[in-house]
């Protein structure tokens, strides 16, 4: 219990710091048009703004063309039923609403204004929201208690000519519908004949049951229980018109009495409600959706101990089949907004159900399999619904919802070219900024031992705590144990050496002599005498870490938080060496900003690479990019744009291109080209209409280190990008050299990447150098 309290305290402190720094909150407003001169200002405001105003006055539908309304959703709450917190009021609910806004933006590219309304009266709340219709393309109601949420949603749907969606109800219902659809199919059962027992009769539970009826379940087969027991005909306590729809004509009064023979248990109530003895009474191959958070109605281990044919869904991310609303709400709104839907009707919701259920039954793509370490789940008891971070969700749900809106006549801007629409969604997936998620998830499936040369550094210690808590990697820190303990305590961290993580004490480690012998084997014929070797293995933490990695005492290495990159590179070259498929090392940097992700190579190692070396860099970088679940699109950059200049560097890039085309014809690559041509297909087509590179490049290769490093640092600062890397390519074992500017967050990201690389090499059975 003490450990749980400490964990909660750590999370609380981290969350408060996260929300406050570097500036309070999680949202900001950014202009989408350049405002670089007086003319821009005249177009953006007076007098130019009059033109779109008059056009909209003549034709209100033009608001979608000239304003952000068509991509703007209002997330609105009065804070009366905040998940896990209850009635905390509108102001205290604002962090949650900002969080919802972030999810809309990250997962579907939808802009949000969060609006917290200080009103509990239904009619007044409805009046306050309804008059906002000119501002928004859709309304997402959030965290409003039942039964008021039913009345508010119904009234707003009647009054407003834009989608109004209470996600707590319908988002949950859609995912539950998909899980039940697939769970019953797996069990060989028909929804129309399935007995469904629900624990909980709040907004989400009733919406789920209504969705199941819409999908084909029969009301006479649905049994509802709440805190007062079975919902039966004639009951008066805690009853309302929405709950009464499911009242049964029965003398049974408890969950235990009605669970007999049930095919589906739907729990949206409280922890521990479903007992193992009840599970034993259920029908064959029962589907249990225990969705109370953080502790479900029954833990999966308890349910499976009761019987081995049970199939489980929970609301938790640490178990398979997580019912998470982020699976659907961003994409439903994406599809609805893209066709200018006037509502989100039952047909659109059912289309979302079928899209989610169908995606779970699809074979995993090669790209997804690579991103998740080749261990992607396939349809079965542990994979009834897709992962919330499956990049294909937007590609399946949004078009399905858009089509349903068009087919049911609620679309005011029907999509004419679905191929172009899908292409646009595909481009968004690349720009979503969720690039690290599959890497972190893959790392957590089989955490590896990562050694940190600068183990006493605050950033490493903070990263180590995150890695341990999230089970991403097993850290080994090079550092003095007394210093490690003191600094953990000073920084308010709960981890301690020898208790929570391993360490190598450079002043006193039993492996010292073995490490010296190993080092002499590496450098003894390279001008390093035994005395110097002994000193190095006492004082150079990168050498110590590299030796641990070489000997198999660690699976991957992180260094570079202090000192010069070139010195760390020298040590890694000497001790770890180059893998058999590479001639030399190179470094690739990943920049993640609001526009998406961009890889740059070689940003730190080779000063003036030859055409042959650039060709090899491209291949190594492409292989690494596929680890993220992304297909590489490669541009070779130059001051020349497809032959516009004839210089030594441009000729080198042309030669490199010819080598890549000849050796690796499967790669999508072109050049030599300007940087703007690489990132804009329209610009590229002006000078090279038949370019082999389509869309935006995601990997840029440079003619020399100066160009690459300068471009990397300028882009990082100018776009406020998160830097992941440098990612060292070509090493015989996973080893990465970071830079002194790296943050603890950057250390975590690189640790996850190093872990996945170690997993891949372990599966391939690669040998240690010298074996």
């Amino acid at each position: 219990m003490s450990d749980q309290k400490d964990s909660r305290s750590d999370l609380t402190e981290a969350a408060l710091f996260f929300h406050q720094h570097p500036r309070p909150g999680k949202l900001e407003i950014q202009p989408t048009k350049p405002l670089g001169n007086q003319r821009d200002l005249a177009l953006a405001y007076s007098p130019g703004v009059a033109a779109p105003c008059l056009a909209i006055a003549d034709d209100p539908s033009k608001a979608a063309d000239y304003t952000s309304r068509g991509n703007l959703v209002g997330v609105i709450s009065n804070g009366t039923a905040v998940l896990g917190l209850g009635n905390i009021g509108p102001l205290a609910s604002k962090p949650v609403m900002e969080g919802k806004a972030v999810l809309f933006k990250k997962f579907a590219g939808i802009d949000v204004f969060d609006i917290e309304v200080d009103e509990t009266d239904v009619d007044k709340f409805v009046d306050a929201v309804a008059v906002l219709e000119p501002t928004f393309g859709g309304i997402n109601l959030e965290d409003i208690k039942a039964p008021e949420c039913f009345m508010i949603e119904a009234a707003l749907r009647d009054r407003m000519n834009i989608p109004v969606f209470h996600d707590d109800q319908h988002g949950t219902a859609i995912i539950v519908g998909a899980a039940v659809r697939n769970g019953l199919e797996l069990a060989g059962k028909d929804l129309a004949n399935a007995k469904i027992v629900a624990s909980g009769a709040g907004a989400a539970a009733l919406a789920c049951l209504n969705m199941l009826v819409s999908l084909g379940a029969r009301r006479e087969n649905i049994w509802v229980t709440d805190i007062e027991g079975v919902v039966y005909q004639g009951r008066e306590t805690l009853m309302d018109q929405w709950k009464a729809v499911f009242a049964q004509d029965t003398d049974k009064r408890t969950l235990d009495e009605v669970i007999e023979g049930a095919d589906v248990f739907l729990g949206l109530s409280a922890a521990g409600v479903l007992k193992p003895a009840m599970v034993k009474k259920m029908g064959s191959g029962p589907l249990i959706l225990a969705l109370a958070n953080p502790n479900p109605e029954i833990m999966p281990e308890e349910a499976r101990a009761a019987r081995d044919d049970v199939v489980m869904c929970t609301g938790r991310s640490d178990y398979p089949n997580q019912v998470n609303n982020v699976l659907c709400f961003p994409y439903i709104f994406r599809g609805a907004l893209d066709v200018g839907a006037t509502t989100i009707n039952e047909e659109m919701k059912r289309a979302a159900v079928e899209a989610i259920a169908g995606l779970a039954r699809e074979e995993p793509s090669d790209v997804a399999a690579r991103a998740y370490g080749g261990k992607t789940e396939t349809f079965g008891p542990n994979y009834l619904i897709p992962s919330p971070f499956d990049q294909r969700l937007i590609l399946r749900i949004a078009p399905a919802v858009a089509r349903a809106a068009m087919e049911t006549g609620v679309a005011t801007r029907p999509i004419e070219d679905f191929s172009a629409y899908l292409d646009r969604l595909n481009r968004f997936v690349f720009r979503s900024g969720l690039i690290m998620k599959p890497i972190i998830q893959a790392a957590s499936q089989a955490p590896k031992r990562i050694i940190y040369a600068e183990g006493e550094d605050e950033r490493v210690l903070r990263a180590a705590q995150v890695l341990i808590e999230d089970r991403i990697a097993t850290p080994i820190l090079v550092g003095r144990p007394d210093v490690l303990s003191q600094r953990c305590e000073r920084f308010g961290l709960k981890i301690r050496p020898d208790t929570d993580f391993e360490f190598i004490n450079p002043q006193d480690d039993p492996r010292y002599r073995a490490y010296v012998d190993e080092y002499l084997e590496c450098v003894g014929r390279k001008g390093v005498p035994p005395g110097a070797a002994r000193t190095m293995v006492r004082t150079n933490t990168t050498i110590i870490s590299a030796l641990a990695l070489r000997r198999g005492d660690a699976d991957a290495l992180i260094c570079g938080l202090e000192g010069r990159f070139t010195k760390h590179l020298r040590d890694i070259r000497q001790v770890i060496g180059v893998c058999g498929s590479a001639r030399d090392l190179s470094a690739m940097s990943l920049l993640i900003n609001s526009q998406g992700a961009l890889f740059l190579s070689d940003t730190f190692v080779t000063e003036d690479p030859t055409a042959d070396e650039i060709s090899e860099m491209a291949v190594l970088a492409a292989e690494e990019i596929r680890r993220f679940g992304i297909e590489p699109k490669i541009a070779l950059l130059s001051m020349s744009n497809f032959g516009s200049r004839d210089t030594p560097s441009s000729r080198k890039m042309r030669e490199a291109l010819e080598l890549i085309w000849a050796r690796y014809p499967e790669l999508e690559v072109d050049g030599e080209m300007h940087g703007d041509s690489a990132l804009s297909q329209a610009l590229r087509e002006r000078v090279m209409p038949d370019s082999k590179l389509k869309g935006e490049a995601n990997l840029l290769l440079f003619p020399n280190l100066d160009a690459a490093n300068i471009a990397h640092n300028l882009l990082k600062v100018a776009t406020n990008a998160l830097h992941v890397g440098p990612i060292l390519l070509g090493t015989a074992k996973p080893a990465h050299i970071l830079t002194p500017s790296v943050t603890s967050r950057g250390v975590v990201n690189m640790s996850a990447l190093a872990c996945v690389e170690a997993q891949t090499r372990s599966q391939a059975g690669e040998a240690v150098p010298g074996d």
Side-chain angles (χ1 to χ4, degrees):
M1 182 63 72
S2 176
D3 287 345
Q4 290 181 349
K5 286 182 178 178
D6 289 344
S7 178
R8 285 196 297 269
S9 175
D10 290 340
L11 182 62
T12 297
E13 290 181 15
L16 292 174
F17 184 89
F18 176 87
H19 281 78
Q20 186 176 5
H21 301 283
R23 54 186 292 187
K26 300 187 285 281
L27 299 172
E28 66 176 357
I29 296 174
Q30 290 278 2
T32 60
K33 298 294 190 293
L35 299 171
N37 54 39
Q38 184 59 39
R39 180 171 175 79
D40 289 344
L41 294 173
L43 292 172
Y45 197 53
S46 181
V49 75
C53 290
L54 293 173
I56 294 168
D58 290 340
D59 180 0
S61 69
K62 292 294 182 182
D65 297 327
Y66 300 132
T67 75
S68 63
R69 182 176 185 262
N71 193 53
L72 186 61
V73 166
V75 170
I76 302 181
S77 179
N78 61 8
T80 53
V82 178
L83 181 63
L85 301 174
N87 186 358
I88 60 174
L91 184 59
S93 77
K94 189 172 180 63
V96 180
M97 302 311 123
E98 285 190 355
K100 192 82 171 191
V102 168
L103 296 179
F104 266 110
K105 187 66 174 179
K106 282 293 183 184
F107 284 92
I110 294 171
D111 295 315
V112 164
F113 288 156
D114 65 290
I115 298 179
E116 293 72 37
V117 181
D118 191 6
E119 184 56 72
T120 57
D121 179 86
V122 169
D123 292 334
K124 291 180 179 178
F125 186 96
V126 168
D127 288 340
V129 176
V131 296
L132 298 175
E133 182 170 341
T135 300
F136 296 109
I139 298 293
N140 182 93
L141 298 173
E142 192 76 16
D143 293 349
I144 302 171
K145 74 181 182 71
E148 287 89 339
C149 61
F150 302 123
M151 296 181 277
I152 286 170
E153 185 188 36
L156 288 174
R157 284 168 63 92
D158 286 343
R159 287 180 58 174
M160 303 182 81
N161 202 37
I162 57 175
V164 177
F165 188 83
H166 186 208
D167 182 49
D168 298 334
Q169 294 181 58
H170 308 300
T172 305
I174 287 166
I175 304 159
V176 164
V180 171
R181 168 79 85 205
N182 280 347
L184 292 180
E185 177 179 312
L186 201 63
K189 298 178 181 179
D190 181 18
L191 181 58
N193 299 318
K195 180 178 180 180
I196 301 167
V197 175
S199 173
L206 294 175
C208 290
L209 297 176
N210 285 324
M211 173 55 71
L212 294 176
V213 171
S214 177
L215 293 170
R218 296 191 299 206
R219 292 188 189 276
E220 58 265 31
N221 293 338
I222 297 175
W223 298 75
V224 179
T225 64
D226 61 10
I227 196 169
E228 287 293 319
V230 173
V231 174
Y232 61 88
Q233 291 181 13
R235 194 181 108 174
E236 296 182 357
T237 306
L238 291 180
M239 289 296 290
D240 55 53
Q241 65 190 77
W242 300 277
K243 196 184 299 186
V245 171
F246 295 100
Q248 291 275 14
D249 184 7
T250 180
D251 59 359
K252 296 177 180 179
R253 295 294 181 264
T254 66
L255 175 61
D256 185 55
E257 291 177 281
V258 299
I259 198 73
E260 182 82 36
D263 299 294
V264 178
F265 170 83
L266 173 62
L268 284 152
S269 53
V273 167
L274 185 65
K275 308 300 181 185
M278 299 180 189
V279 175
K280 292 179 180 179
K281 295 182 180 181
M282 296 180 70
S284 62
L287 173 62
I288 296 176
L289 297 102
L291 307 183
N293 259 328
N295 298 314
E297 285 77 4
I298 187 169
M299 294 298 290
E301 297 86 353
E302 292 180 278
R304 294 192 182 101
R307 53 191 300 173
D308 57 12
D309 62 341
V310 69
V311 177
M312 285 288 303
C313 297
T314 70
R316 292 171 52 141
S317 61
D318 53 345
Y319 289 99
N321 297 322
Q322 182 193 13
V323 175
N324 185 332
N325 285 18
V326 80
L327 269 167
C328 75
F329 75 79
Y331 316 120
I332 288 174
F333 270 96
R334 182 72 279 158
L337 292 173
D338 289 341
V339 295
T342 58
T343 187
I344 295 176
N345 56 31
E346 286 303 308
E347 291 83 357
M348 295 161 73
K349 295 177 200 172
R350 285 200 297 269
V353 169
E354 298 301 338
I356 294 169
L359 178 56
R361 296 193 296 268
E362 287 185 29
E363 290 295 319
S365 67
D366 291 342
V367 172
R370 285 194 295 268
Y372 288 94
K375 295 182 179 180
T376 49
E377 291 282 357
T378 56
F379 181 57
N382 289 328
Y383 194 71
L384 295 181
I385 47 179
S387 160
F389 291 92
D390 192 317
Q391 295 180 331
R392 296 169 295 173
L393 283 165
I394 192 172
L395 304 177
R396 302 295 184 273
I397 300 173
V401 170
R403 286 186 190 278
M406 291 163 59
E407 290 167 0
T408 55
V410 299
T412 62
R413 299 189 306 276
I415 294 169
E416 296 180 1
D417 185 345
F418 262 88
S419 295
Y421 180 54
L422 287 170
D423 183 60
R424 195 172 86 220
L425 294 177
N426 260 308
R427 290 200 303 273
F428 169 75
V429 168
F430 171 66
R431 294 196 302 268
S432 67
L434 296 170
I435 189 172
M436 286 304 302
K437 184 59 188 180
I439 297 292
I440 290 173
Q441 181 166 323
S444 65
Q445 290 175 357
K448 293 293 184 179
R449 300 164 301 162
I450 301 180
I451 189 164
Y452 298 85
E454 293 88 5
E456 295 175 358
D457 190 285
E458 178 182 358
R459 293 163 293 178
V460 170
L461 290 167
R462 292 192 181 280
Q465 178 154 308
V466 173
L467 295 168
I468 292 167
E469 289 178 350
D470 294 350
R471 298 186 179 92
I472 296 171
T474 302
I476 303 170
L477 274 54
V478 178
R480 296 157 292 178
D482 54 335
V483 175
L484 292 171
S485 294
Q486 291 167 8
R487 293 190 177 181
C488 285
E489 187 172 353
R490 185 200 308 166
F491 302 140
L493 304 175
K494 69 175 184 179
I495 57 172
R496 294 294 184 270
D498 247 355
T499 302
D500 302 294
F501 61 87
E502 295 181 45
F503 64 90
I504 292 179
N505 181 359
Q507 296 179 341
D508 181 21
D509 191 276
R511 292 163 290 190
Y512 171 69
R513 292 186 182 277
Y515 276 30
V516 170
D517 291 342
E518 189 83 24
Y519 186 50
L520 280 170
E521 185 178 327
C522 298
V523 300
R525 294 182 178 274
K526 297 178 181 178
V528 180
R534 287 191 289 270
T535 301
M536 293 276 201
V537 179
R538 281 280 190 223
T539 60
N540 188 318
T541 58
T542 297
I543 288 176
I544 295 170
S545 302
L547 289 167
L549 177 60
R550 179 184 172 90
R551 287 170 47 83
D553 295 338
D555 302 308
L557 158 66
I558 300 288
C559 65
L561 283 81
E562 299 172 6
R564 292 183 180 179
F565 186 94
T566 52
K567 290 185 177 180
H568 295 286
L569 185 66
R570 175 202 62 198
D571 296 335
I572 287 174
R573 268 203 181 106
Q574 289 179 339
V575 179
I576 303 301
V578 178
C579 69
S581 62
R583 300 181 191 182
D584 198 2
L585 305 180
S586 61
M588 177 174 69
S589 292
L590 165 60
L591 296 179
I592 305 173
N593 58 30
S594 59
Q595 297 302 307
L598 191 63
F599 297 88
L600 298 85
S601 186
D602 171 9
T603 48
F604 281 88
V605 178
T606 311
E607 291 184 11
D608 188 14
T610 65
D612 220 19
E613 287 172 327
I614 291 170
S615 169
E616 182 176 284
M617 288 174 190
V619 175
L620 290 173
E623 182 181 344
E624 190 71 24
I625 289 171
R626 290 193 181 101
R627 222 185 284 280
F628 291 86
I630 296 173
E631 277 300 322
K633 292 175 172 286
I634 309 170
L636 305 185
L637 301 189
S638 171
M639 65 183 295
S640 171
N641 206 23
F642 296 103
S644 65
R645 300 281 295 270
D646 191 30
T647 64
S649 68
S650 62
R651 288 195 294 270
K652 178 171 67 175
M653 299 309 278
R654 282 175 223 152
E655 183 183 347
L657 179 67
E658 294 294 337
L659 290 172
I660 297 171
W661 279 351
R663 297 171 181 172
Y664 311 100
E666 74 282 2
L667 288 178
E668 185 178 341
V669 55
D670 212 337
E672 83 290 5
M673 69 179 78
H674 289 169
D676 53 358
S677 294
L679 301 179
S680 169
Q681 181 164 330
L683 290 176
R684 190 163 59 251
E685 286 180 343
R686 292 179 188 174
V687 291
M688 185 54 61
D690 61 345
S691 172
K692 294 187 178 182
L693 175 63
K694 304 301 179 185
E696 300 173 8
N698 54 28
L699 169 59
L700 307 180
L701 283 107
F702 297 82
N704 56 54
L705 183 58
D706 276 352
N709 192 268
I710 290 168
H712 160 255
N713 285 310
L714 283 174
L715 284 170
K716 182 173 68 172
V717 174
T719 65
N720 193 28
L722 168 66
H723 176 216
V724 179
I727 303 166
L728 199 58
L729 305 177
T731 55
K733 300 280 281 183
H736 298 286
I737 308 167
L738 308 187
T739 60
S741 63
V742 72
T743 63
S744 61
R745 180 186 180 196
V747 176
V748 170
N749 283 334
M750 280 305 299
S751 300
L753 186 59
C755 181
V756 173
E757 187 180 349
Q759 291 171 355
T760 304
R761 297 195 184 203
S762 176
Q763 292 162 8
E766 293 187 11
V768 175
D771 284 0

